[in-house]
Amino acid sequence: ARLWLPVLAVFAPQHVNRFKCRLTVPALRTNVCRHLKPGGCMVQKISVGHKQLMAEAEARVESVTAEDAIAMAGRADVMIVDIRDIRELEREGRIPGSLHAPRGMLEFWVDPESPYFKPVFGEDKTFVIHCASGWRSLLATDILQRMGLKPVKNLKGGFAAWKAAGGAVEKDKAS
């Protein structure tokens, strides 16, 4: 059972609690516990948390409501960019006509000096960025704005808000 504890910590962190966050991998001499409750076993001390990052980005980024995004969708001067993981698109569907740009490649696709540059990001369009709930897209929009892409806006509430507002959703034929 002791051999399975590191695996448990990585793949089933919700069960680590009962082991009191004392899981280690001796060969790596590192704590593999992922139990991050206050007072838990996180060794690293971060200086800026996600809430602060999002609050700072919110102050710099223009967001649009789902209703505004629905009204903008389909316009020739607007590109809705979906930064969710491909598995999220397969599971939940996508906004018709949106461009899928995986979050991990976004900056590279936007930068014309990158070998991964996508010409759509060089067009004179308003880019509306979204993820599932608006958190990743808020941070991504902040970065894109910092890179000089404009106008770029965050879809507040993400794909969930889009669906809740009655926005159209398409599923891939393979889904």
Side-chain angles (χ1 to χ4, degrees):
R2 182 79 175 147
L3 294 174
W4 288 102
L5 295 181
V7 174
L8 176 69
V10 174
F11 296 105
Q14 68 273 19
H15 298 296
V16 171
N17 197 10
R18 65 177 143 185
F19 295 105
K20 302 191 189 279
C21 296
R22 293 187 186 134
L23 303 178
T24 59
V25 177
L28 300 177
R29 297 186 196 283
T30 184
N31 188 340
V32 295
C33 176
R34 301 294 188 264
H35 181 219
L36 301 178
K37 286 188 175 178
C41 64
M42 183 168 174
V43 176
Q44 295 289 333
K45 297 291 184 194
I46 61 171
S47 58
V48 179
H50 76 281
K51 291 177 184 175
Q52 182 178 344
L53 288 171
M54 289 181 11
E56 291 170 356
E58 189 117 33
R60 292 186 293 261
V61 165
E62 182 179 347
S63 290
V64 296
T65 65
E67 292 78 13
D68 291 337
I70 290 168
M72 295 169 77
R75 287 185 7 204
D77 64 333
V78 173
M79 175 57 64
I80 297 178
V81 181
D82 190 334
I83 65 167
R84 295 176 299 153
D85 182 84
I86 188 67
R87 290 168 293 236
E88 292 174 275
L89 274 71
E90 291 169 352
R91 185 177 57 244
E92 302 292 328
R94 64 189 302 159
I95 295 172
S98 64
L99 170 70
H100 179 235
R103 176 64 191 98
M105 291 301 294
L106 191 59
E107 293 85 349
F108 301 101
W109 285 18
V110 169
D111 184 353
E113 294 183 19
S114 164
Y116 302 103
F117 174 68
K118 299 293 183 193
V120 66
F121 289 107
E123 296 177 12
D124 186 21
K125 294 183 180 283
T126 297
F127 295 92
V128 178
I129 313 300
H130 83 87
C131 62
S133 65
W135 289 16
R136 289 173 288 175
S137 59
L138 176 62
L139 297 176
T141 301
D142 191 34
I143 292 290
L144 295 179
Q145 191 170 275
R146 183 174 168 210
M147 290 176 72
L149 188 68
K150 57 186 174 187
V152 60
K153 303 170 189 295
N154 174 52
L155 172 52
K156 192 168 186 76
F159 190 64
W162 172 276
K163 289 192 310 187
V169 174
E170 70 180 9
K171 289 262 196 173
D172 290 338
K173 291 175 181 66
S175 298

